[in-house]
Amino acid sequence: ITTLLAGCLFAISISAQSVSTGVSYNKTTQPALMLLLPYSESIAEGTILQKLRENGYDPETKGKAFWKQNKVNGFYTFKGVVLKDLDKQPIDLYFKVEPKGKKENERATIYLLVSKGEEKFISPETDQDIHTAAKKFLNKFVDESAAYKLQKEIEAQEGLIKDAEKKLTKIQDSEKELLKKITQ
């Protein structure tokens, strides 16, 4: 089972690479990167936040990062992010996560716009180094989102175990009380 799972993850990671595309931002088409994830929109958003934290950026300075208030033209903006592959050069990342498919938990598409500031978006032709670093950053999302989803499932199972242990403790206490009543 483990070998089969590893093979599936390897096949998904090979087939799921980001591609350069154009996306509408502020009524104009801007160069962007697109990645199709085999996970839900909420898993994609959680992975984005986790990856930003790993790069030393704190996306949640006030409340929840994926608020409607934080959207600019449909994109969540994260200003001054320093990617590990770049030499401490801050860039602005604009993420848009869209669900794909009719079911809520099917798949999600992530669009990423990269700017050097003041909405000056880069393309592979204008800045190859930043584009390559952003592409590497986005390509890691397939494996990272699988790990993030697994972590959330483990946390949910741990919550169920804690609830079951509380119920067991209550039942054991009730049993002790009933045994006392029977002996009396």
Side-chain angles (χ1 to χ4, degrees):
I1 292 174
T2 306
T3 306
L4 180 62
L5 182 61
C8 290
L9 286 175
F10 180 72
I12 288 171
S13 66
I14 288 175
S15 66
Q17 297 292 318
S18 62
V19 294
S20 295
T21 186
V23 68
S24 178
Y25 180 85
N26 204 13
K27 299 181 183 177
T28 59
T29 301
Q30 299 293 340
L33 292 169
M34 179 185 75
L35 178 69
L36 181 63
L37 283 179
Y39 303 106
S40 69
E41 185 177 5
S42 63
I43 296 296
E45 290 174 350
T47 303
I48 290 170
L49 296 177
Q50 181 180 0
K51 289 295 291 172
L52 289 172
R53 280 189 209 102
E54 286 175 8
N55 277 287
Y57 184 81
D58 185 18
E60 295 186 27
T61 55
K62 290 184 183 177
K64 190 174 176 187
F66 283 97
W67 282 1
K68 291 181 181 178
Q69 301 167 355
N70 293 352
K71 276 190 173 182
V72 176
N73 291 313
F75 286 81
Y76 296 104
T77 60
F78 301 97
K79 306 241 183 214
V81 178
V82 178
L83 297 180
K84 291 180 181 178
D85 293 339
L86 297 175
D87 296 327
K88 304 215 185 249
Q89 180 179 1
I91 56 175
D92 300 339
L93 300 178
Y94 295 71
F95 287 97
K96 185 176 193 177
V97 181
E98 293 181 342
K100 286 286 183 190
K102 296 178 182 177
K103 294 180 182 176
E104 184 178 315
N105 292 330
E106 262 184 35
R107 297 182 297 173
T109 302
I110 299 176
Y111 294 96
L112 173 61
L113 295 172
V114 182
S115 169
K116 288 184 177 180
E118 300 178 18
E119 297 183 359
K120 295 177 185 172
F121 298 106
I122 61 108
S123 66
E125 294 81 27
T126 58
D127 195 327
Q128 183 66 36
D129 293 338
I130 293 177
H131 185 268
T132 303
K135 193 167 186 162
K136 284 181 184 177
F137 176 72
L138 194 59
N139 284 339
K140 293 178 184 176
F141 275 47
V142 177
D143 294 334
E144 295 290 330
S145 59
Y148 181 80
K149 181 180 182 199
L150 182 61
Q151 181 62 34
K152 289 299 174 188
E153 289 173 351
I154 289 170
E155 288 171 4
Q157 289 297 320
E158 287 174 348
L160 290 174
I161 290 171
K162 286 181 182 178
D163 291 342
E165 287 174 345
K166 286 179 185 177
K167 286 180 184 178
L168 177 63
T169 303
K170 286 181 183 178
I171 290 172
Q172 288 173 340
D173 291 343
S174 296
E175 180 186 21
K176 288 177 184 175
E177 288 179 24
L178 290 174
L179 286 174
K180 284 182 184 178
K181 287 182 182 179
I182 290 173
T183 55
Q184 287 175 355

